[in-house]
Amino acid sequence: MRTNRIVGIVAFFVAFLVVLSAVYIAVREPFSTAVNDCRALETYSREFVSNQGDENYLDQQIRACKGEDLDESEKPGGGASSSPTPTPSAEPTEETQPRQWEYLANRPPVQKTAINSFGPSQGLTVDMPLADMDVDQAIAEMRYRLSIDPMLAAATKAAFERTDYEGSSYAEVDANTKLFSEDYEAWDTAVAEINRKIDEAVAAGQVGIEPLSGNYVASYSIPGEIPAVRIDYDVPRWGQTAIRISDELFQLECGIQNYWEGSLPIQGPQIMPEPFPGMDRTPEGTPIVEVPPAQPEKPETTVPPTAPPTTPPTAPPTTVPPSTTPPTTVPPTAPPTTTLEPKPSEEDSYAHETGAPQASTTGPARESAEPVDTNPAPTEDRDVPTEAPGANNPDAGSGCVTAPGESSC
């Protein structure tokens, strides 16, 4: 009987865990690849988050999910008020006046470098960016902010204490933030100790402005009714400025946040909460919706680049502009002759020149005739022989040269 009861109790707890896991998966699963249901984030925040700092950070993720640019927003983060924090509810007396203080981390993000910065990037003592201040101006700004901001005093106290006291827990920052806003004496004691350490560093020449270059451990604030302080590892910083006081670095642009070189030698505060899948953070800790990765380019074989056509385009008809010069008339080409005319001899040349009939080109080749006078006298004065030279000479051959004006030899 007892065994059955134990089995039943075990079965009940197993069933409960299965149901709880199913609910968790159902809520978180939509964000496994991308943020596509901001209401599910809100449900998760109400049902599964109990830490106030994490809840405020999740609120930032919900706002980013809805498309808000957190770093440029006019609203303070975590539902905090942008107006100075009111003084504690203690009744003022004649001897004491209400003390004015403010969580500078709750300033509107548009006044800060990022929504999770410690305070505004513009100076409160001098109207200029903190990044442009010299050493004296930065020290004066730091002292003033410590006197009006309980959160900055709590974070800076922990930063200096870990130098002298190994094992000091930076995780007490959130508790001290609340304490200092309620207990002014504790706050003033902490600020006085910080100022003493600053004075010692100034006297020893251990204070200066230097640029950041590389990866650091950075502290962040998560705005809210009581701002939470978290740290993050491996934060890239190149070109931003910090004030060094002894061995401690305080980044200026983000509101005098404590930075560490390398890994922390002691137990630190809670690590900055991880954003939901489908989200990411900027180097300043701001939650942003991840941009889907770019689609890989298609191979050239499937989508070839535009190439000129393989067939050359037909040339347009040539338009001949009108011309004032008349066109040249080309005489028709004579039909080809199949019989080649032999080169005329000297006698033929003479015949052409005098207009005498030409010897037939088709007859047998004639023997060499006696030389003909190529420069005869005019026809009317010239003696024309009645017989051709060599006519009565049998040895002269049978060749006959027609005398000018005669049709036969």
Side-chain angles (χ1 to χ4, degrees):
M1 186 74 174
R2 185 174 181 180
T3 303
N4 292 338
R5 182 179 300 176
I6 295 175
V7 171
I9 294 174
V10 171
F12 172 79
F13 278 108
V14 170
F16 176 78
L17 292 175
V18 170
V19 172
L20 184 63
S21 300
V23 172
Y24 176 81
I25 293 173
V27 173
R28 193 173 177 90
E29 181 61 25
F31 312 101
S32 59
T33 56
V35 175
N36 54 17
D37 188 354
C38 302
R39 289 178 298 179
L41 268 175
E42 296 172 339
T43 301
Y44 179 82
S45 175
R46 290 193 302 267
E47 297 183 3
F48 295 99
V49 178
S50 58
N51 180 279
Q52 188 62 49
D54 290 355
E55 183 178 343
N56 291 342
Y57 185 72
L58 186 58
D59 177 71
Q60 293 181 10
Q61 298 185 56
I62 294 171
R63 292 165 60 190
C65 174
K66 295 179 179 180
E68 183 178 346
D69 186 348
L70 300 182
D71 290 343
E72 296 299 326
S73 174
E74 293 287 348
K75 293 168 47 181
S81 173
S82 60
S83 59
T85 307
T87 58
S89 57
E91 292 293 331
T93 63
E94 295 181 0
E95 292 80 12
T96 61
Q97 294 295 323
R99 180 166 180 171
Q100 297 295 323
W101 55 269
E102 176 187 2
Y103 290 130
L104 294 175
N106 287 345
R107 285 286 183 99
V110 72
Q111 296 183 15
K112 305 189 293 183
T113 299
I115 191 172
N116 294 315
S117 298
F118 272 15
S121 58
Q122 193 75 5
L124 301 179
T125 57
V126 181
D127 188 15
M128 64 185 302
L130 271 69
D132 296 340
M133 292 183 175
D134 58 25
V135 174
D136 293 337
Q137 291 170 330
I139 290 294
E141 181 76 18
M142 184 175 182
R143 293 183 194 270
Y144 175 72
R145 294 194 180 199
L146 288 169
S147 69
I148 66 170
D149 185 354
M151 191 210 77
L152 180 63
T156 306
K157 174 180 183 295
F160 278 115
E161 281 184 351
R162 75 182 184 94
T163 301
D164 298 335
Y165 305 101
E166 183 176 357
S168 174
S169 176
Y170 193 76
E172 296 176 357
V173 172
D174 292 349
N176 282 335
T177 298
K178 185 175 184 300
L179 172 65
F180 293 165
S181 65
E182 299 171 349
D183 186 341
Y184 298 156
E185 184 178 352
W187 180 6
D188 291 340
T189 300
V191 171
E193 181 63 19
I194 294 171
N195 283 327
R196 185 184 67 79
K197 292 181 180 295
I198 293 175
D199 292 339
E200 291 176 354
V202 171
Q206 297 177 346
V207 175
I209 303 292
E210 61 183 62
L212 300 174
S213 59
N215 292 333
Y216 298 82
V217 177
S219 57
Y220 290 107
S221 68
I222 301 178
E225 184 177 354
I226 299 178
V229 175
R230 301 288 184 266
I231 64 170
D232 194 17
Y233 290 103
D234 197 24
V235 178
R237 290 291 182 267
W238 301 92
Q240 294 92 339
T241 56
I243 181 171
R244 179 179 290 277
I245 302 175
S246 298
D247 296 327
E248 300 305 320
L249 282 174
F250 298 91
Q251 205 251 36
L252 294 175
E253 283 93 329
C254 291
I256 316 178
Q257 294 176 202
N258 192 206
Y259 273 44
W260 297 270
E261 299 168 298
S263 60
L264 289 176
I266 60 171
Q267 176 188 3
Q270 181 177 338
I271 301 299
M272 191 78 165
E274 287 295 329
F276 264 73
M279 284 191 168
D280 200 355
R281 288 192 314 214
T282 66
E284 284 71 35
T286 304
I288 57 173
V289 178
E290 288 180 347
V291 178
Q295 295 296 329
E297 296 183 1
K298 296 182 179 180
E300 296 183 358
T301 54
T302 57
V303 184
T306 304
T310 55
T311 304
T314 304
T318 305
T319 303
V320 180
S323 175
T324 55
T325 305
T328 304
T329 303
V330 180
T333 305
T337 305
T338 55
T339 304
L340 297 177
E341 184 177 356
K343 183 178 180 181
S345 64
E346 294 181 357
E347 296 172 351
D348 293 330
S349 298
Y350 171 74
H352 282 292
E353 291 174 3
T354 57
Q358 299 181 17
S360 174
T361 61
T362 60
R366 64 184 180 181
E367 300 292 335
S368 298
E370 292 189 13
V372 180
D373 186 4
T374 60
N375 191 19
T379 305
E380 63 272 14
D381 297 334
R382 184 181 178 188
D383 293 334
V384 179
T386 57
E387 295 180 354
N392 297 324
N393 187 359
D395 298 329
S398 59
C400 175
V401 179
T402 305
E406 296 293 332
S407 60
S408 63
C409 294

